[in-house]
Amino acid sequence: MKRAQTNIVVFVFILLIVVGVIAFLLSAARTLNPVEYLNLYAHNSLLSVLREDTGYTDSNCKLVSDVISCSFFTPTWQCDGSGPTCRSLAEEKITEAMDQFEIIKKSYRYLFRVEPEGFVVKDAAGTPFSINIGDGTLATEKGEKITANERISRVSQSGQFLLKVQLILKKK
């Protein structure tokens, strides 16, 4: 008799655990709403672009984030000694990477923007330098936009410098 009661208690205990796990999984498996999905998509797209390999072995040109940094601090640097300059390679690779994202091409306007944070970089003509690829009007345009932000840090002999990288998306 005691053995049957023990089996029933163990069975009920296991049943409660299974029901609890199922309840937890169902509550955790809710679907993302479109705004959350787009926000997640924008952040992952930005990280994918920054981590993309350029095909060069030079430490200033290995990843897109390296090329972006190089384009602000040594813009005339030529990748692998005789390749393109950091600035032209950065613009080329960012444009290529953004063209790969089908959802952005079909339904959204985008602006990939890189600006120095806390300091000013000037180009050869003496104007402030930043990288803007895509629809430049999104920077000042009002309305519902999704913005993904990252920072690229560069340490030199004169201190640490930050570049603010943004991907701004807005429905067409």
Side-chain angles (χ1 to χ4, degrees), residues 108-172:
Y108 293 90
R109 297 174 13 223
Y110 77 91
L111 174 61
F112 191 101
R113 184 179 195 174
V114 184
E115 298 177 320
E117 190 172 279
F119 65 102
V120 177
V121 175
K122 295 188 178 184
D123 61 12
T127 57
F129 173 64
S130 65
I131 296 175
N132 293 296
I133 297 173
D135 188 348
T137 62
L138 287 175
T140 57
E141 195 172 302
K142 302 287 183 199
E144 187 176 324
K145 298 183 280 190
I146 299 291
T147 304
N149 295 301
E150 277 297 320
R151 292 205 174 8
I152 297 173
S153 176
R154 174 94 179 229
V155 178
S156 72
Q157 296 156 339
S158 53
Q160 181 176 3
F161 298 95
L162 294 175
L163 299 173
K164 182 171 78 170
V165 183
Q166 290 183 311
L167 176 59
I168 304 170
L169 299 177
K170 185 172 183 180
K171 274 196 183 260
K172 288 184 177 179

Side-chain angles (χ1 to χ4, degrees), residues 22 46-47 53 87 139 150 159-160 171:
I22 290 171
L46 177 60
L47 288 175
D53 193 308
R87 184 174 181 176
E150 277 297 320
Q160 181 176 3
K171 274 196 183 260

Side-chain angles (χ1 to χ4, degrees), residues 39-109:
N39 193 19
L40 183 64
Y41 185 84
H43 282 83
N44 285 333
S45 298
L46 177 60
L47 288 175
S48 295
V49 171
L50 293 176
R51 293 177 181 164
E52 185 174 323
D53 193 308
T54 63
Y56 290 91
T57 57
D58 187 342
S59 64
N60 282 333
C61 303
K62 182 90 174 119
L63 303 175
V64 172
S65 59
D66 298 331
V67 175
I68 290 171
S69 178
C70 175
S71 67
F72 277 86
F73 298 103
T74 51
T76 57
W77 180 271
Q78 288 188 291
C79 297
D80 287 345
S82 60
T85 63
C86 287
R87 184 174 181 176
S88 64
L89 184 61
E91 291 173 352
E92 174 190 336
K93 289 296 182 181
I94 293 168
T95 302
E96 284 177 10
M98 293 307 298
D99 285 344
Q100 292 177 358
F101 298 114
E102 195 66 30
I103 190 172
I104 294 174
K105 289 185 344 187
K106 285 184 177 179
S107 306
Y108 293 90
R109 297 174 13 223

